[in-house]
Amino acid sequence: MSTLLFLGGVLFMVIAVAASIALHEIGHLIPAKKFGLRVPQYMIGFGKTLFSVRRGETEYGVKAIPLGGYISMVGMYPPREEKVSESKPNLFTRIFGQMIDDARSQANEQVRQEDAGRMFYELPIYKRVIIMLGGPLMNLIIGTVALGIVLVGFGVPTATTTVSEVYQCIASAQNTDATECTADDTPAPAYQAGLRPGDTITSINGTAVARDAWYELTDVIRDHPDTSISLTYERNGVSHDTTLTPYLTDRPVLDKDGYVINGEDGQPKMAQVGFVGMSSQIQNVSQPVWEVPAQVGDQLLRIGNIILHLPQRMVDVAQAAFGSEERDPNGPVSVVGIGRLAGEINSTDALNLEEKTATLISLVGGLNLALFAFNLIPLLPLDGGHVAGALYEGLKRMVAKLRGIRQVKPVDTIKMLPVTYVVVIAMLVMGGLLIYADIFKPITLF
């Protein structure tokens, strides 16, 4: 049964990845057709075509290697400029000239005489930018919707002001292995004040606290050792008032999300703070819609940090794959790794059905946000490279207009083919390393 659940999670992610790729390419296809471009092909995958169907001017199909997709647009590159000069070709032309000409001929082999005025390089700059950003923006939309479903529909695990456990004495509160309190132990303030598991604290010192404001509550407690504090709590729908005095003790320093902060020695930082001996009940709390953009922004910042430090991240992956180091759970993964994570999530007994569903949807959202950010890298063959080329041409035209120059040649991005090959090879190497690591040294969640 566990194996079937694992395979079910993998299948779910395969479908999600395929759908994300398909929608990414639709993001390019719709504005391309809207702006009058002829689009000969819309393909999911690379290599040999498995099946296809033609609708109008476009062939829609699926290819054998499911590692991406593409749409072909006529006139991606301007025709080769005929040179009348008989001067000796430079080093770049001697080395790469034939390669570039061959690639240009292959890219433009579908151009017809009637395509004049309907080619990509002839479009206004803003239309080219819209077409190339359409794919990444589709991934951004998918990622935002997926995270919105999780945050608003399922909620997120949150420390609530409902009490999960109350310790009878300080000794048992500081050492959860202690099962009994003795007469010599100091009573825990929360228990002494009458608080019990299931009580929901609604205000502290006369200030109301929200259900998900546990850490605001504990901040007041930590900041007021040996000071009387008034609490209002609900039990079985009835409101009660009480007072307690936090006990001064050494406790770990927490960040704004309630996680322990470690020092340079790797050990938790400690501070003398107020302590009452109770813990919070973790519950899924639905977030307001306006929290979704902030969460999307936070994820994009983390993804952007990974991309900016990608060389070091790949070194870390290699050291983990071929050495004894552990994989960084927040590091890059391949599609194989994503599939394994989905299978692990779906087959674990640590999550219920609702939690599994929310986690899988969240994984799809994170994948699409990563695709959005990665495709914006301003290097060919990524979408960001084409956008950079269009914007550079727009800058050239602006400067030429200021200088009174009327004729401006379009930017010929195919001349960046050598750089494109370097990027493609680097992507293949990184992809191969990640796949190897995800098979032999995978990231595990449970």
Side-chain angles (χ1 to χ4, degrees):
M1 184 63 179
S2 178
T3 301
L4 288 177
L5 288 173
F6 183 90
L7 293 176
V10 173
L11 179 60
F12 169 84
M13 193 50 60
V14 168
I15 295 172
V17 170
S20 298
I21 293 171
L23 290 171
H24 174 99
E25 298 306 327
I26 286 177
H28 294 307
L29 180 70
I30 291 176
K33 285 183 170 290
K34 183 71 175 177
F35 295 145
L37 283 181
R38 187 167 66 83
V39 182
Q41 286 187 317
Y42 167 95
M43 290 290 170
I44 305 303
F46 301 102
K48 183 179 179 181
T49 301
L50 299 180
F51 66 87
S52 66
V53 60
R54 178 168 294 278
R55 293 289 184 270
E57 296 179 325
T58 305
E59 177 190 11
Y60 301 85
V62 175
K63 290 181 174 286
I65 305 174
L67 294 178
Y70 68 92
I71 66 169
S72 60
M73 296 177 285
V74 295
M76 283 293 294
Y77 310 105
R80 181 176 183 271
E81 181 183 356
E82 297 297 334
K83 294 186 178 294
V84 296
S85 173
E86 296 182 0
S87 60
K88 186 177 180 180
N90 58 37
L91 180 63
F92 180 88
T93 302
R94 291 199 303 271
I95 297 176
F96 300 110
Q98 188 59 51
M99 180 193 302
I100 292 172
D101 286 343
D102 291 343
R104 189 194 310 277
S105 298
Q106 183 178 2
N108 291 336
E109 65 183 4
Q110 294 179 313
V111 175
R112 305 170 183 169
Q113 187 174 359
E114 59 268 25
D115 288 330
R118 298 183 63 193
M119 291 187 279
F120 182 81
Y121 77 89
E122 296 176 317
L123 288 177
I125 302 297
Y126 79 92
K127 289 186 177 181
R128 279 185 259 171
V129 171
I130 290 173
I131 291 172
M132 299 316 300
L133 287 182
L137 286 176
M138 185 66 80
N139 292 125
L140 177 61
I141 292 170
I142 297 170
T144 302
V145 170
L147 287 185
I149 290 173
V150 172
L151 294 173
V152 179
F154 290 91
V156 295
T158 304
T160 66
T161 54
T162 298
V163 179
S164 64
E165 192 163 8
V166 180
Y167 300 94
Q168 293 188 28
C169 58
I170 295 296
S172 64
Q174 293 182 328
N175 178 14
T176 54
D177 293 332
T179 57
E180 295 183 0
C181 297
T182 68
D184 296 329
D185 291 328
T186 303
Y191 188 86
Q192 198 172 29
L195 290 169
R196 297 294 182 269
D199 293 345
T200 299
I201 299 171
T202 56
S203 74
I204 182 168
N205 285 338
T207 301
V209 290
R211 178 168 169 252
D212 58 352
W214 171 258
Y215 294 114
E216 294 180 16
L217 172 70
T218 55
D219 282 346
V220 176
I221 293 172
R222 293 167 69 94
D223 292 341
H224 292 81
D226 296 328
T227 303
S228 180
I229 291 175
S230 63
L231 292 178
T232 301
Y233 63 93
E234 285 187 0
R235 179 184 299 168
N236 299 324
V238 180
S239 181
H240 303 270
D241 295 315
T242 189
T243 59
L244 51 73
T245 301
Y247 177 80
L248 180 63
T249 187
D250 288 329
R251 300 296 295 168
V253 178
L254 307 178
D255 63 16
K256 64 181 181 63
D257 296 316
Y259 293 104
V260 174
I261 299 174
N262 291 328
E264 294 181 358
D265 59 355
Q267 298 300 313
K269 288 185 177 181
M270 305 298 288
Q272 285 199 319
V273 295
F275 179 69
V276 297
M278 65 181 179
S279 56
S280 166
Q281 191 176 103
I282 305 299
Q283 298 177 348
N284 283 338
V285 176
S286 178
Q287 305 296 301
V289 173
W290 54 83
E291 281 293 321
V292 177
Q295 292 293 328
V296 170
D298 286 343
Q299 283 218 26
L300 288 176
L301 286 175
R302 289 195 291 270
I303 293 168
N305 183 62
I306 292 175
I307 292 173
L308 286 174
H309 299 91
L310 194 55
Q312 181 58 50
R313 294 282 188 160
M314 296 309 300
V315 170
D316 295 339
V317 171
Q319 290 175 341
F322 302 106
S324 59
E325 291 84 354
E326 292 297 321
R327 289 282 300 276
D328 180 0
N330 296 314
V333 294
S334 69
V335 290
V336 173
I338 293 173
R340 289 193 66 149
L341 289 174
E344 187 179 350
I345 290 167
N346 199 49
S347 60
T348 183
D349 294 330
L351 302 176
N352 59 36
L353 179 60
E354 181 178 311
E355 291 169 335
K356 290 179 181 180
T357 304
T359 307
L360 288 172
I361 294 174
S362 181
L363 192 61
V364 173
L367 167 67
N368 276 274
L369 292 181
L371 289 173
F372 165 74
F374 188 75
N375 272 286
L376 291 184
I377 297 175
L379 293 172
L380 293 171
L382 300 172
D383 297 329
H386 291 285
V387 172
L391 293 177
Y392 175 62
E393 182 175 326
L395 180 62
K396 277 184 61 177
R397 292 182 181 279
M398 186 183 302
V399 173
K401 185 176 181 180
L402 292 174
R403 297 175 60 186
I405 301 174
R406 293 186 177 182
Q407 296 295 327
V408 179
K409 297 177 183 177
V411 170
D412 194 358
T413 54
I414 203 168
K415 291 182 178 179
M416 296 296 294
L417 187 63
V419 177
T420 302
Y421 283 157
V422 171
V423 174
V424 170
I425 291 171
M427 290 170 61
L428 290 174
V429 171
M430 289 190 296
L433 174 59
L434 286 173
I435 289 173
Y436 178 88
D438 288 333
I439 293 174
F440 296 103
K441 198 71 173 288
I443 293 173
T444 58
L445 299 177
F446 305 98

